[in-house]
Amino acid sequence: MMNSDWMFLGTTTARAVFMWGLTLVFILINIFLERKICAFVQDRVGPNRAHICGVRLFGFILNFADAVKLIFKEDILPPFVNKAYYIAAPAVIMTIALMGAAVVPFADDLTVGGFTLPMQALNLNVGFLYILALTSLSVYSLVLAGWGSNSKYPLLSAMRSSAQMISYEISMGLSLVGLVMVFGSVDLGQIVKAQGGLIAGVVPRWGIVVQPLGALLFAVASLAELNRTPFDLPEGESEIIGFHVEYSSMKFALFFMAEYANIFVASAVFAALFLGGWQIPWLTTAAIKEHAAPVFRTVSIVALAAMMAVAALLVRFYRKRPYQWKDLRRIEGPVLLSALGLGALLAVAGIVASYVITPGPIMAALLACGLQMAAFCGKSFFLCAFVILVRWTLPRLRYDQLMALGWKIMLPLGLANLLVTGLVLLLKKG
Amino acid sequence: MILREIFFFLFGGTAVLCGLFMLTRKSALSGAVSLVVCFLSFAGLYAMLDAPFIAAMQVLVYAGAIMMLIIFVIMTIDLSAEERRAEKPVIVGGIIAGAIVAAAIALYSITVRGLPHITGAARIDGSVTHIGAVMFSKHVLNFEMLSLLLLVALVGAVVLGKKKAKEG
């Protein structure tokens, strides 16, 4: 193999592994968010028991307890299933879920020493078509699970999911055409870059500003493709339980991991298309690089203030319950507070460093990259929380309502959006 | 470029194997799933030929939408009677033998001559922008006629559907 081959392999693998890692981390975050937001909506406390040496991290540790439980459960292979399909289905859905985030850019191109590296695992020029293609494939997992289980409820679920996917895929694709016309590219990297400008010098030129109807339609179609309430007919916990009713142990868990990974992918794609992706409003890459020291100082000060606020809340929380616990939980407060103290020390060091050190071009580039990654992750996190909140807020649609919404409301609206966008662009041009 | 050869044989081999499976499987659903994997391998081959748009469309339209509809139909109608009737025909043996011979010839010619590459003037831009520009300038008449054909098919489907609903 030639040297360029190895270079290509190396950089591509590194970026792909980063995006995989991010997706896997967001699976954990989403499960945690699901539990906490569900508890909040239903006025409960949520998970507060599982701990490592007394530290519960507000219930985050329950994820690990859950993983251990699922791994050690008996893995039952029902005698009546079609083995090949039954085993393939969870693998297929997880593979597709992990591939989804590959085309989403997570920072501006990193230029170090005359070498430009696009911060995107896969810079295809077909862009979001890749995501639409993956979405259309992910339904096969549900169909294989439903058919392979050889049981009537999973089969019902498979039929529902295939009908739903076909209906909403069209609206999903259509809702994006307007955006493509405005930004003049289907590549997500280009679309995010085009969202860096300002309209009238004030409002960021984000997709949601220039294509509000497209954003709404895409959000609804994404929710439908995610198979979550209000579109959870394939799962339908209260009636048919769904395509995974015959599954146990990690095979069952894979379906849910894929669901949470898909929430992240959908959020990341929405963030990239409509919320400016890695763009920090009113702060371009060039501006960050030029004023690296003041930017770093501001970030450090904000981080310091945030940590102080969290620490104050924690102190208030633990003061209400003085020595109430006779177990390991009593060391949780000191552990969390000292971790925050360490973070605060780092922030103070950052503030001092921003006065002492003049950052070189490489450091400035890395700072811009890091900040943009943080902005992208923050937007995705917000959207994930939104998707989960929607699930616990809205009731499920009936089958006929689902079809009516897809074909009679979303499709005409998508076409109207396309027409209006085209007209406006034409008038602007001519 | 060993990578190119590895991926070519991976995708090509999968496509041929799944094509065979599609023909030989008794269960209609197995056949359909094999065809899906076959289409996916085609998409891989298109992507290797610098045609990412066609690859994406292959997955989106053929592997995604059309095959999904076929599978939906297979699940809706009861095929068990058909499956019982279907016996392994002699033709299957012939198909397999033919495929093996074809694969052997292909393998021989590729190992001797190397993989064909598109170079020079024959190599065109396969991006969305270029395809769109060509489709709406040079081939705009064909494009419009195709949309007309699809519209006719749509109206026909609605008419047929309405007729069935009235009878039932």
Side-chain angles (χ1 to χ4, degrees):
Chain A
M1 269 194 272
M2 283 187 292
N3 206 13
S4 64
D5 274 10
W6 286 113
M7 192 75 190
F8 172 77
L9 259 183
T11 51
T12 310
T13 313
R15 286 176 290 161
V17 166
F18 172 79
M19 221 46 201
W20 272 349
L22 199 63
T23 314
L24 289 173
V25 168
F26 261 92
I27 292 177
L28 290 178
I29 292 176
N30 282 341
I31 296 173
F32 168 69
L33 278 177
E34 176 100 284
R35 293 219 169 94
K36 274 302 182 191
I37 291 176
C38 162
F40 167 72
V41 171
Q42 298 174 345
D43 205 10
R44 294 185 285 111
V45 181
N48 67 344
R49 287 290 183 276
H51 67 90
I52 296 174
C53 300
V55 179
R56 298 167 296 174
L57 279 179
F58 319 102
F60 190 79
I61 301 299
L62 187 66
N63 279 339
F64 303 107
D66 232 10
V68 170
K69 180 194 85 172
L70 283 163
I71 289 170
F72 284 102
K73 266 194 168 183
E74 188 188 354
D75 190 12
I76 301 166
L77 190 68
F80 46 81
V81 298
N82 184 329
K83 271 191 201 130
Y85 295 157
Y86 180 84
I87 294 172
V92 168
I93 198 168
M94 194 63 197
T95 310
I96 292 171
L98 286 176
M99 282 166 75
V103 288
V104 181
F106 45 87
D108 202 357
D109 299 347
L110 183 64
T111 313
V112 177
F115 186 76
T116 305
L117 195 64
M119 285 286 133
Q120 189 179 5
L122 194 67
N123 45 340
L124 287 175
N125 69 4
V126 288
F128 71 78
L129 291 174
Y130 169 86
I131 290 163
L132 291 182
L134 283 186
T135 321
S136 70
L137 286 184
S138 69
V139 66
Y140 280 113
S141 164
L142 274 58
V143 169
L144 288 183
W147 184 268
S149 292
N150 205 3
S151 159
K152 64 185 162 198
Y153 292 118
L155 187 63
L156 275 175
S157 163
M159 289 186 56
R160 284 179 180 194
S161 64
S162 48
Q164 181 175 327
M165 288 280 185
I166 292 172
S167 307
Y168 281 85
E169 224 163 69
I170 299 170
S171 305
M172 196 179 194
L174 209 57
S175 66
L176 292 179
V177 180
L179 190 83
V180 171
M181 284 159 71
V182 173
F183 291 127
S185 175
V186 289
D187 180 11
L188 268 83
Q190 296 300 324
I191 290 177
V192 173
K193 272 180 199 151
Q195 293 179 65
L198 295 173
I199 298 172
V202 192
V203 189
R205 195 163 168 258
W206 284 359
I208 199 163
V209 179
V210 290
Q211 281 281 310
L213 186 59
L216 182 70
L217 291 175
F218 183 72
V220 175
S222 300
L223 279 176
E225 301 281 329
L226 281 174
N227 282 327
R228 286 171 66 83
T229 330
F231 300 101
D232 72 331
L233 280 104
E235 190 179 333
E237 267 179 344
S238 53
E239 41 181 66
I240 59 167
I241 308 176
F243 49 90
H244 44 54
V245 70
E246 304 290 352
Y247 283 84
S248 54
S249 190
M250 274 316 276
K251 290 203 196 72
F252 175 79
L254 273 178
F255 281 113
F256 275 89
M257 285 167 74
E259 177 170 331
Y260 291 108
N262 277 329
I263 293 176
F264 166 66
V265 173
S267 304
V269 170
F270 188 88
L273 290 172
F274 293 103
L275 293 182
W278 45 259
Q279 298 275 7
I280 307 167
W282 308 291
L283 199 59
T284 58
T285 314
I288 298 176
K289 280 182 186 164
E290 201 178 322
H291 311 285
V295 167
F296 189 61
R297 193 177 310 141
T298 318
V299 170
S300 301
I301 290 169
V302 169
L304 186 63
M307 277 186 273
M308 301 282 255
V310 173
L313 282 176
L314 274 179
V315 167
R316 200 168 143 251
F317 178 80
Y318 286 110
R319 271 190 137 173
K320 274 195 202 159
R321 301 163 174 76
Y323 304 106
Q324 181 191 339
W325 297 313
K326 298 271 187 282
D327 50 26
L328 272 171
R329 269 179 286 174
R330 87 199 120 80
I331 67 163
E332 183 179 41
V335 168
L336 288 180
L337 282 175
S338 40
L340 277 174
L342 203 66
L345 269 182
L346 278 176
V348 171
I351 296 170
V352 173
S354 73
Y355 282 106
V356 179
I357 304 167
T358 340
I362 294 177
M363 269 169 85
L366 285 176
L367 173 70
C369 190
L371 282 181
Q372 285 162 349
M373 267 148 91
F376 168 70
C377 290
K379 285 171 188 174
S380 304
F381 179 83
F382 168 75
L383 286 166
C384 285
F386 177 75
V387 169
I388 289 164
L389 187 63
V390 165
R391 169 173 179 184
W392 295 104
T393 314
L394 296 176
R396 182 186 310 142
L397 290 175
R398 223 171 42 218
Y399 186 75
D400 58 326
Q401 291 170 331
L402 179 91
M403 287 295 146
L405 178 69
W407 292 106
K408 293 184 186 163
I409 301 177
M410 305 251 304
L411 195 61
L413 275 181
L415 285 170
N417 185 39
L418 194 62
L419 194 70
V420 172
T421 310
L423 276 176
V424 169
L425 285 181
L426 196 69
L427 288 178
K428 253 178 146 182
K429 227 182 175 183
Chain B
M1 292 290 264
I2 296 174
L3 273 182
R4 191 170 266 278
E5 257 102 62
I6 292 172
F7 280 113
F8 174 79
F9 283 113
L10 188 71
F11 291 134
T14 317
V16 172
L17 211 65
C18 287
L20 276 178
F21 267 138
M22 196 227 13
L23 292 170
T24 52
R25 291 286 91 182
K26 260 188 174 181
S27 146
L29 192 88
S30 293
V33 171
S34 314
L35 195 58
V36 172
V37 181
C38 184
F39 281 160
L40 290 180
S41 317
F42 280 1
L45 288 175
Y46 291 143
M48 282 177 58
L49 291 171
D50 288 328
F53 180 71
I54 296 179
M57 279 302 142
Q58 171 80 13
V59 178
L60 194 60
V61 177
Y62 286 91
I66 292 180
M67 288 313 294
M68 196 64 250
L69 269 177
I70 289 179
I71 287 179
F72 187 72
V73 171
I74 290 175
M75 286 198 298
T76 324
I77 54 174
D78 182 25
L79 278 173
S80 49
E82 292 288 321
E83 271 169 32
R84 251 179 275 123
R85 208 165 352 115
E87 278 167 38
K88 277 199 176 150
V90 194
I91 310 165
V92 170
I95 292 170
I96 295 176
I100 290 172
V101 171
I105 293 170
L107 200 67
Y108 173 75
S109 59
I110 287 165
T111 42
V112 170
R113 292 175 148 200
L115 270 187
H117 292 286
I118 303 172
T119 46
R123 192 186 180 120
I124 53 152
D125 184 11
S127 70
V128 184
T129 327
H130 185 252
I131 290 176
V134 172
M135 198 184 270
F136 286 101
S137 55
K138 203 171 159 192
H139 303 291
V140 69
L141 185 68
N142 305 356
F143 180 80
E144 289 302 328
M145 276 164 77
L146 266 180
S147 14
L148 204 66
L149 189 67
L150 281 175
L151 185 68
V152 170
L154 264 173
V155 172
V158 170
V159 169
L160 287 175
K162 283 252 158 131
K163 207 166 137 197
K164 266 273 165 62
K166 222 177 270 173
E167 280 168 11

mmCIF file of all heavy atoms in Angstrom, chain A residues 297-319:
data_model
loop_
_atom_site.group_PDB
_atom_site.id
_atom_site.type_symbol
_atom_site.label_atom_id
_atom_site.label_comp_id
_atom_site.label_asym_id
_atom_site.label_seq_id
_atom_site.Cartn_x
_atom_site.Cartn_y
_atom_site.Cartn_z
ATOM 1 N N ARG A 297 -10.226 33.150 28.094
ATOM 2 C CA ARG A 297 -10.464 33.733 29.413
ATOM 3 C C ARG A 297 -11.964 33.767 29.710
ATOM 4 O O ARG A 297 -12.425 33.353 30.778
ATOM 5 C CB ARG A 297 -9.892 35.151 29.457
ATOM 6 C CG ARG A 297 -9.805 35.742 30.857
ATOM 7 C CD ARG A 297 -9.164 37.114 30.792
ATOM 8 N NE ARG A 297 -7.922 37.077 30.039
ATOM 9 C CZ ARG A 297 -7.535 38.035 29.201
ATOM 10 N NH1 ARG A 297 -8.299 39.084 28.986
ATOM 11 N NH2 ARG A 297 -6.392 37.937 28.566
ATOM 12 N N THR A 298 -12.748 34.233 28.736
ATOM 13 C CA THR A 298 -14.206 34.307 28.932
ATOM 14 C C THR A 298 -14.771 32.922 29.215
ATOM 15 O O THR A 298 -15.590 32.743 30.129
ATOM 16 C CB THR A 298 -14.877 34.880 27.664
ATOM 17 O OG1 THR A 298 -14.091 35.960 27.200
ATOM 18 C CG2 THR A 298 -16.280 35.323 27.948
ATOM 19 N N VAL A 299 -14.318 31.927 28.414
ATOM 20 C CA VAL A 299 -14.824 30.562 28.613
ATOM 21 C C VAL A 299 -14.490 30.075 30.008
ATOM 22 O O VAL A 299 -15.318 29.500 30.714
ATOM 23 C CB VAL A 299 -14.233 29.617 27.538
ATOM 24 C CG1 VAL A 299 -14.544 28.168 27.875
ATOM 25 C CG2 VAL A 299 -14.757 29.970 26.178
ATOM 26 N N SER A 300 -13.252 30.350 30.451
ATOM 27 C CA SER A 300 -12.842 29.915 31.792
ATOM 28 C C SER A 300 -13.696 30.580 32.854
ATOM 29 O O SER A 300 -14.122 29.930 33.820
ATOM 30 C CB SER A 300 -11.374 30.264 32.031
ATOM 31 O OG SER A 300 -10.574 29.643 31.072
ATOM 32 N N ILE A 301 -13.974 31.886 32.676
ATOM 33 C CA ILE A 301 -14.776 32.600 33.680
ATOM 34 C C ILE A 301 -16.185 32.026 33.734
ATOM 35 O O ILE A 301 -16.734 31.770 34.815
ATOM 36 C CB ILE A 301 -14.808 34.120 33.369
ATOM 37 C CG1 ILE A 301 -13.422 34.726 33.628
ATOM 38 C CG2 ILE A 301 -15.846 34.826 34.227
ATOM 39 C CD1 ILE A 301 -13.261 36.130 33.121
ATOM 40 N N VAL A 302 -16.768 31.769 32.544
ATOM 41 C CA VAL A 302 -18.120 31.200 32.505
ATOM 42 C C VAL A 302 -18.134 29.829 33.178
ATOM 43 O O VAL A 302 -19.027 29.513 33.977
ATOM 44 C CB VAL A 302 -18.624 31.103 31.040
ATOM 45 C CG1 VAL A 302 -19.894 30.284 30.962
ATOM 46 C CG2 VAL A 302 -18.850 32.491 30.470
ATOM 47 N N ALA A 303 -17.104 29.006 32.868
ATOM 48 C CA ALA A 303 -17.036 27.667 33.467
ATOM 49 C C ALA A 303 -16.920 27.784 34.980
ATOM 50 O O ALA A 303 -17.578 27.048 35.731
ATOM 51 C CB ALA A 303 -15.839 26.905 32.896
ATOM 52 N N LEU A 304 -16.094 28.723 35.439
ATOM 53 C CA LEU A 304 -15.914 28.926 36.881
ATOM 54 C C LEU A 304 -17.246 29.298 37.535
ATOM 55 O O LEU A 304 -17.643 28.708 38.556
ATOM 56 C CB LEU A 304 -14.868 30.026 37.109
ATOM 57 C CG LEU A 304 -14.460 30.275 38.563
ATOM 58 C CD1 LEU A 304 -13.809 29.029 39.137
ATOM 59 C CD2 LEU A 304 -13.522 31.448 38.661
ATOM 60 N N ALA A 305 -17.944 30.243 36.907
ATOM 61 C CA ALA A 305 -19.220 30.692 37.468
ATOM 62 C C ALA A 305 -20.213 29.530 37.519
ATOM 63 O O ALA A 305 -20.916 29.338 38.524
ATOM 64 C CB ALA A 305 -19.782 31.837 36.627
ATOM 65 N N ALA A 306 -20.241 28.731 36.428
ATOM 66 C CA ALA A 306 -21.181 27.603 36.378
ATOM 67 C C ALA A 306 -20.869 26.607 37.484
ATOM 68 O O ALA A 306 -21.766 26.123 38.193
ATOM 69 C CB ALA A 306 -21.095 26.922 35.016
ATOM 70 N N MET A 307 -19.580 26.328 37.695
ATOM 71 C CA MET A 307 -19.220 25.351 38.725
ATOM 72 C C MET A 307 -19.547 25.878 40.115
ATOM 73 O O MET A 307 -19.989 25.123 40.984
ATOM 74 C CB MET A 307 -17.738 24.995 38.600
ATOM 75 C CG MET A 307 -17.518 23.929 37.543
ATOM 76 S SD MET A 307 -15.850 23.342 37.464
ATOM 77 C CE MET A 307 -15.133 24.507 36.363
ATOM 78 N N MET A 308 -19.338 27.190 40.328
ATOM 79 C CA MET A 308 -19.689 27.783 41.618
ATOM 80 C C MET A 308 -21.187 27.649 41.872
ATOM 81 O O MET A 308 -21.623 27.319 42.987
ATOM 82 C CB MET A 308 -19.314 29.271 41.640
ATOM 83 C CG MET A 308 -17.858 29.535 41.405
ATOM 84 S SD MET A 308 -16.879 29.219 42.845
ATOM 85 C CE MET A 308 -16.550 30.887 43.332
ATOM 86 N N ALA A 309 -21.984 27.901 40.802
ATOM 87 C CA ALA A 309 -23.441 27.835 40.957
ATOM 88 C C ALA A 309 -23.854 26.407 41.323
ATOM 89 O O ALA A 309 -24.657 26.192 42.241
ATOM 90 C CB ALA A 309 -24.114 28.275 39.659
ATOM 91 N N VAL A 310 -23.278 25.411 40.614
ATOM 92 C CA VAL A 310 -23.610 24.013 40.904
ATOM 93 C C VAL A 310 -23.205 23.676 42.331
ATOM 94 O O VAL A 310 -23.952 23.018 43.076
ATOM 95 C CB VAL A 310 -22.917 23.068 39.887
ATOM 96 C CG1 VAL A 310 -23.124 21.626 40.280
ATOM 97 C CG2 VAL A 310 -23.444 23.311 38.494
ATOM 98 N N ALA A 311 -22.017 24.148 42.734
ATOM 99 C CA ALA A 311 -21.542 23.865 44.087
ATOM 100 C C ALA A 311 -22.495 24.459 45.124
ATOM 101 O O ALA A 311 -22.830 23.808 46.124
ATOM 102 C CB ALA A 311 -20.132 24.437 44.268
ATOM 103 N N ALA A 312 -22.955 25.694 44.867
ATOM 104 C CA ALA A 312 -23.884 26.338 45.802
ATOM 105 C C ALA A 312 -25.168 25.527 45.932
ATOM 106 O O ALA A 312 -25.667 25.281 47.040
ATOM 107 C CB ALA A 312 -24.195 27.755 45.319
ATOM 108 N N LEU A 313 -25.682 25.049 44.785
ATOM 109 C CA LEU A 313 -26.905 24.231 44.797
ATOM 110 C C LEU A 313 -26.684 22.953 45.586
ATOM 111 O O LEU A 313 -27.536 22.532 46.384
ATOM 112 C CB LEU A 313 -27.330 23.896 43.368
ATOM 113 C CG LEU A 313 -28.033 25.007 42.593
ATOM 114 C CD1 LEU A 313 -28.294 24.553 41.174
ATOM 115 C CD2 LEU A 313 -29.341 25.384 43.278
ATOM 116 N N LEU A 314 -25.498 22.324 45.364
ATOM 117 C CA LEU A 314 -25.187 21.071 46.064
ATOM 118 C C LEU A 314 -25.140 21.293 47.568
ATOM 119 O O LEU A 314 -25.697 20.513 48.340
ATOM 120 C CB LEU A 314 -23.846 20.520 45.580
ATOM 121 C CG LEU A 314 -23.875 19.638 44.341
ATOM 122 C CD1 LEU A 314 -22.463 19.198 43.993
ATOM 123 C CD2 LEU A 314 -24.755 18.426 44.561
ATOM 124 N N VAL A 315 -24.471 22.384 47.969
ATOM 125 C CA VAL A 315 -24.347 22.676 49.401
ATOM 126 C C VAL A 315 -25.731 22.849 50.014
ATOM 127 O O VAL A 315 -26.043 22.301 51.082
ATOM 128 C CB VAL A 315 -23.476 23.933 49.618
ATOM 129 C CG1 VAL A 315 -23.597 24.425 51.060
ATOM 130 C CG2 VAL A 315 -22.031 23.642 49.276
ATOM 131 N N ARG A 316 -26.588 23.579 49.276
ATOM 132 C CA ARG A 316 -27.947 23.807 49.766
ATOM 133 C C ARG A 316 -28.678 22.473 49.922
ATOM 134 O O ARG A 316 -29.355 22.223 50.917
ATOM 135 C CB ARG A 316 -28.690 24.718 48.782
ATOM 136 C CG ARG A 316 -29.873 25.390 49.398
ATOM 137 C CD ARG A 316 -30.427 26.496 48.528
ATOM 138 N NE ARG A 316 -31.874 26.492 48.648
ATOM 139 C CZ ARG A 316 -32.693 26.105 47.701
ATOM 140 N NH1 ARG A 316 -32.208 25.705 46.544
ATOM 141 N NH2 ARG A 316 -33.983 26.114 47.886
ATOM 142 N N PHE A 317 -28.509 21.584 48.890
ATOM 143 C CA PHE A 317 -29.171 20.279 48.882
ATOM 144 C C PHE A 317 -28.730 19.449 50.084
ATOM 145 O O PHE A 317 -29.544 18.859 50.786
ATOM 146 C CB PHE A 317 -28.844 19.560 47.573
ATOM 147 C CG PHE A 317 -29.423 18.187 47.456
ATOM 148 C CD1 PHE A 317 -30.749 18.012 47.091
ATOM 149 C CD2 PHE A 317 -28.648 17.062 47.703
ATOM 150 C CE1 PHE A 317 -31.288 16.750 46.976
ATOM 151 C CE2 PHE A 317 -29.187 15.798 47.594
ATOM 152 C CZ PHE A 317 -30.504 15.640 47.231
ATOM 153 N N TYR A 318 -27.411 19.407 50.348
ATOM 154 C CA TYR A 318 -26.923 18.538 51.420
ATOM 155 C C TYR A 318 -27.174 19.129 52.804
ATOM 156 O O TYR A 318 -27.248 18.410 53.787
ATOM 157 C CB TYR A 318 -25.434 18.229 51.217
ATOM 158 C CG TYR A 318 -25.233 17.253 50.105
ATOM 159 C CD1 TYR A 318 -24.667 17.634 48.903
ATOM 160 C CD2 TYR A 318 -25.665 15.938 50.243
ATOM 161 C CE1 TYR A 318 -24.526 16.742 47.873
ATOM 162 C CE2 TYR A 318 -25.525 15.036 49.214
ATOM 163 C CZ TYR A 318 -24.957 15.451 48.041
ATOM 164 O OH TYR A 318 -24.834 14.561 47.023
ATOM 165 N N ARG A 319 -27.311 20.461 52.872
ATOM 166 C CA ARG A 319 -27.559 21.075 54.182
ATOM 167 C C ARG A 319 -28.958 20.742 54.682
ATOM 168 O O ARG A 319 -29.192 20.694 55.883
ATOM 169 C CB ARG A 319 -27.425 22.587 54.067
ATOM 170 C CG ARG A 319 -26.012 23.040 54.304
ATOM 171 C CD ARG A 319 -26.051 24.493 54.400
ATOM 172 N NE ARG A 319 -25.241 25.034 55.452
ATOM 173 C CZ ARG A 319 -25.063 26.350 55.582
ATOM 174 N NH1 ARG A 319 -25.662 27.168 54.744
ATOM 175 N NH2 ARG A 319 -24.325 26.822 56.543
#
